[in-house]
Amino acid sequence: MKFKNIFTAFLFFFAIVFSQMAFSQTNYADVKVDDLTDTQIRQLIKKAESIGYNDAQLEQMAAAQGMNATEIQKLRLRVEKIRKQDGDQGNEKSDGNGSGRNQQNGNELDRSRGYDRQNLRDTTKNAKNTGLNGDLKDKKALEEETNLEMQKLFEGLKPKIFGEDLFKNENLTFEPNLRMATPKSYVIGPDDELLVDLSGDNEVNYKLKVSPDGTIRLQYVGLISVGGLTIEQATSKIRSSMAGTYPSLKSGRTSVAITLGNIRSIKVTVIGEVVKPGSYTVPSLFTVFNALYESGGPNRNGSFRKIQVVRNNKVVSTIDVYDFLLNGIQQNNIRLQDQDVINVPVYQTRVEMAGEVKRPALYEALNTESLEDMVRFAGGFSNDAYTAQIKVLQKTNKERKITDVQADDYNKYNPLNGDKYVVEAILDRFENRVEIAGAVFRPGQFELDDNLTLKQLIAKADGLKEDAFLNRGYISRLNADNSLSLLSFDVAKVLAGTEADVKLQREDKVTISSIFDLREEYKVTIQGEVRQPGTFEFGDNMNLEALIQMAGGFKEGATPNRIEISRRIKNSDATSASAQTAEVFTVNVDQNLKIQEKDFTLKPFDIVSIRSSESYQVQRQIKVEGEVLYPGTYTITKKDERISDIIKRAGGLSPLAYVEGASLKRTGGAEARAADSLERRKEEKEKLMNLQRLKQSGAKDTTTIEKDLQVLRSDLVGIDLVRILKKPLSRNDLIVEDGDVIRVPKELQTVRVTGEVLKPNSIVFIKGRSFKGYVDGAGGYSYNAYKRGAYIVYSNGSVAAAKKFLFFNNYPQVKPGAEIFVPKRAEREKIGIQGLVGISTAIASLAAIFITLLK
């Protein structure tokens, strides 16, 4: 079944691949990887990574787009080469050295070839999601989406034709303005509407439509032929024809204005290498660009430089779209007339500009243009372009060849059809760079002047800092083979002139260390009873009083006596078992931070400990809750104050107090509660679970386990308040501690039963009722109950467990407010066939041994 699913997934995957090849509108079988620039390969890698494809999937996509196996192999090598180059450059930049040192970082990229397992899993997952045997619409949508991703991924491999988007841009329609004033050069034709407006002594308006034979009929004037005349010519003719009817036109007392009303439609034909050739009915104000936009513009074989307008079998205009694309000039973009023909011929010479130019694309060249013009068409060189020469990749009648054109010959080189001009990037290196780092005022990179020396470079960096290490510096220098060498020098002697100065070379890196870089950072630590304990930076002649002041001074409970300073031992006897590991000094100071005897000077890495005063005590408090006369918070007045003393101070017990249920909660005081972190709670919870499992597994020392369980479950301490009040100062009368909570409840009337019983609940306490009776009141034991492990927790926090005597379970006494807990029996693994076989084999072996011994 698994093999069938994998095979089905493979079929689905290859169906997608071949459908993509079938539906793809772009064929990449003719793509030559050798013709692609490094920039194009990097763009391809970035696009693949943005879509989420690795290098192996990138090759699969290339194969799906029609690229042959040889080119795929070349693409693989180019990708690996560029990744390696980029990795080396990243290492060089991190080292601050851009000279091209080949330092390997050891990070090899793991690129699997072919259809990797992850790709297969993803394909299988997609196949399942889309339903191999079900939803065909989802399958088709997946194919279309993947196909679009592939086309988007490889669209950068095919260069664009410069200007091909001009007539596909929805925001640039070249639509004529039909509300503008009538152009005087507009030629009138049939179906045009002329507006004749008389004003002055005679007021009259006429709307006249030009007839098919080019005439208009004017009232009181008759027929006037205006077809083929411009607006300016027609105005003059109409005025002279109306002068006989309206004499005031001659005297100027009446004027006539002639404008164009509704314009006619004309029919033009667009032929040749256009996207949508054919005949178009357009307004008579349309220009050549309007008609080209309607037809989609030139196709991939069409010329943008020699578009012809044919009128009456004569070429009346030749349009070069580059004039508009490059300069915004619509030269020869004439207004069309009826039956005009626009012819887009096949291009004659088309070249490709690639690499470090601002507009890499395919450009059409005229016979009179040179390589310099092609560079101008491409927007010029980019900022990183190597402008000294351009590589020309040409196709001869027999094979391909490469030509290097120098900068002086750009204006002389005539482009040939199929040429590809590759403008390479400048080298990623400096011809005159040196660098200085470390303890100088202006570290960084500097120009390598003629005969620049080490001393001069230090002067350029504004000299040495005060913390400069003067005994030694070093120069990192490249050998002739780009390997690294180090030259050491005495900084002080070179600056003093007593040692020969060093002449610097290209890419030298001078390092002058700081004295602080060559030793461990000097610190001192103060801890104990100061306001801001911590670690502070050491300074020469630093004394104890200064450090205490930096730490915020003493706390109120600090003692100025017996301050302990521990110091490192540098020359300890490593062979002696009792060798001294630290040197300790004890110093007394007063509250004014003055040494009583003499100043004590600290040394690096000293640790100062400030002790608490033996007579200083912070108030400690406990809380009394429940059935006492005066519940609340009480301050401990003496070190040995006990529970009975606190109950007495609280006024004694109330009439409703349930003395046997009194409990003591000991949380360890305020500081201990603050230190009770989340991690400690997790550890306690894990320990609790381990103890429960140990108890359920039948451990013998159940008393110890129950005790540990109770301590971990809560902070309750089991006390017997009845005995405490009856006999104060006894061993049951505990000494109270800070944070204790004494709680005396009311008479409790229920017993809670939980754990592995059928219906855990609370049951009314009945005196004399047995442990088993309360369990039965909760429905009895469940199937998984561990009866021997059942125990009871009393309201005062003490715990009692069931005990085994012979074949009988002896359960503890039940008291009001208690909680009975029945744990779950530990799960046991069932013995399978393999286990049974093993046991049978062992028994048979023992039987054989026994029989042998008997014989």
Side-chain angles (χ1 to χ4, degrees), residues 574-622:
T575 61
S576 174
S578 60
Q580 187 177 6
T581 58
E583 190 176 2
V584 178
F585 304 91
T586 302
V587 180
N588 298 331
V589 299
D590 59 15
Q591 295 296 337
N592 296 323
L593 299 180
K594 291 185 178 179
I595 299 291
Q596 294 179 353
E597 299 176 1
K598 62 179 181 178
D599 291 343
F600 186 88
T601 303
L602 299 175
K603 290 187 178 181
F605 313 113
D606 280 355
I607 299 176
V608 179
S609 300
I610 309 296
R611 311 297 183 191
S612 299
S613 174
E614 66 278 4
S615 60
Y616 181 81
Q617 293 291 335
V618 178
Q619 297 95 326
R620 298 179 299 156
Q621 294 183 321
I622 66 170

Side-chain angles (χ1 to χ4, degrees), residues 278-337:
S279 296
Y280 294 86
T281 300
V282 297
S284 56
L285 291 178
F286 257 40
T287 63
V288 179
F289 279 11
N290 299 132
L292 288 174
Y293 181 83
E294 293 294 325
S295 64
N299 59 22
R300 293 194 65 87
N301 292 326
S303 171
F304 283 80
R305 310 293 306 273
K306 297 179 180 180
I307 300 176
Q308 300 172 336
V309 179
V310 181
R311 182 176 298 161
N312 297 326
N313 296 325
K314 293 182 180 180
V315 177
V316 296
S317 178
T318 300
I319 299 170
D320 187 348
V321 181
Y322 279 23
D323 289 336
F324 177 74
L325 291 172
L326 299 174
N327 305 313
I329 300 174
Q330 298 187 33
Q331 188 174 357
N332 296 332
N333 184 25
I334 62 174
R335 186 172 290 107
L336 297 174
Q337 295 185 15

Side-chain angles (χ1 to χ4, degrees), residues 748-816:
L748 302 174
Q749 300 176 353
T750 60
V751 175
R752 183 169 179 80
V753 184
T754 59
E756 292 299 319
V757 291
L758 296 179
K759 181 64 176 178
N761 60 6
S762 295
I763 302 173
V764 176
F765 173 76
I766 299 175
K767 190 173 183 179
R769 192 172 185 179
S770 65
F771 187 98
K772 183 75 165 52
Y774 285 102
V775 173
D776 291 340
Y781 294 108
S782 69
Y783 175 76
N784 293 324
Y786 180 56
K787 299 178 183 179
R788 290 197 315 173
Y791 61 91
I792 186 169
V793 181
Y794 295 109
S795 58
N796 66 346
S798 60
V799 180
K803 298 180 181 179
K804 188 78 173 178
F805 179 73
L806 297 179
F807 299 103
F808 305 98
N809 289 327
N810 186 16
Y811 294 104
Q813 181 185 1
V814 181
K815 296 181 180 180

Side-chain angles (χ1 to χ4, degrees), residues 830-850:
K830 295 182 180 179
I831 300 177
I833 297 176
Q834 186 176 0
L836 292 174
V837 171
I839 294 174
S840 302
T841 304
I843 293 174
S845 300
L846 289 174
I849 294 172
F850 182 72

Side-chain angles (χ1 to χ4, degrees), residues 217-319:
R217 180 175 292 277
L218 191 61
Q219 189 178 12
Y220 308 124
V221 177
L223 291 175
I224 303 175
S225 178
V226 294
L229 301 179
T230 64
I231 286 291
E232 187 176 17
Q233 293 170 343
T235 300
S236 177
K237 186 173 183 179
I238 293 172
R239 180 183 289 108
S240 61
S241 299
M242 295 177 65
T245 306
Y246 301 98
S248 56
L249 284 173
K250 296 180 179 180
S251 62
R253 296 174 60 185
T254 300
S255 60
V256 61
I258 299 172
T259 57
L260 191 64
N262 292 330
I263 62 175
R264 70 184 186 278
S265 296
I266 61 175
K267 181 170 289 188
V268 296
T269 302
V270 184
I271 61 173
E273 299 299 326
V274 291
V275 177
K276 297 180 292 185
S279 296
Y280 294 86
T281 300
V282 297
S284 56
L285 291 178
F286 257 40
T287 63
V288 179
F289 279 11
N290 299 132
L292 288 174
Y293 181 83
E294 293 294 325
S295 64
N299 59 22
R300 293 194 65 87
N301 292 326
S303 171
F304 283 80
R305 310 293 306 273
K306 297 179 180 180
I307 300 176
Q308 300 172 336
V309 179
V310 181
R311 182 176 298 161
N312 297 326
N313 296 325
K314 293 182 180 180
V315 177
V316 296
S317 178
T318 300
I319 299 170

Side-chain angles (χ1 to χ4, degrees), residues 361-468:
L362 294 173
Y363 293 91
E364 187 176 349
L366 301 179
N367 296 333
T368 58
E369 293 172 338
S370 63
L371 176 56
E372 187 176 45
D373 295 314
M374 299 301 105
V375 175
R376 179 172 57 86
F377 292 163
F381 296 108
S382 67
N383 296 336
D384 296 329
Y386 175 59
T387 60
Q389 72 176 22
I390 296 177
K391 291 187 181 299
V392 183
L393 305 179
Q394 293 179 323
K395 299 176 183 178
T396 65
N397 296 331
K398 181 179 180 181
E399 56 189 359
R400 299 159 62 89
K401 75 172 184 177
I402 186 170
T403 303
D404 294 332
V405 180
Q406 304 301 320
D408 294 338
D409 298 328
Y410 289 169
N411 59 350
K412 303 174 186 176
Y413 183 87
N414 293 323
L416 300 177
N417 186 40
D419 281 358
K420 180 175 181 178
Y421 306 116
V422 180
V423 180
E424 296 180 336
I426 58 175
L427 299 177
D428 188 16
R429 56 178 285 172
F430 290 85
E431 65 178 14
N432 61 339
R433 179 180 65 174
V434 290
E435 184 177 355
I436 186 170
V440 293
F441 284 104
R442 295 188 182 277
Q445 300 174 352
F446 293 88
E447 177 189 0
L448 177 63
D449 300 329
D450 293 338
N451 300 319
L452 180 67
T453 64
L454 173 62
K455 187 174 181 180
Q456 293 172 348
L457 179 60
I458 295 175
K460 277 190 173 185
D462 285 349
L464 300 177
K465 289 184 177 179
E466 295 79 1
D467 59 336

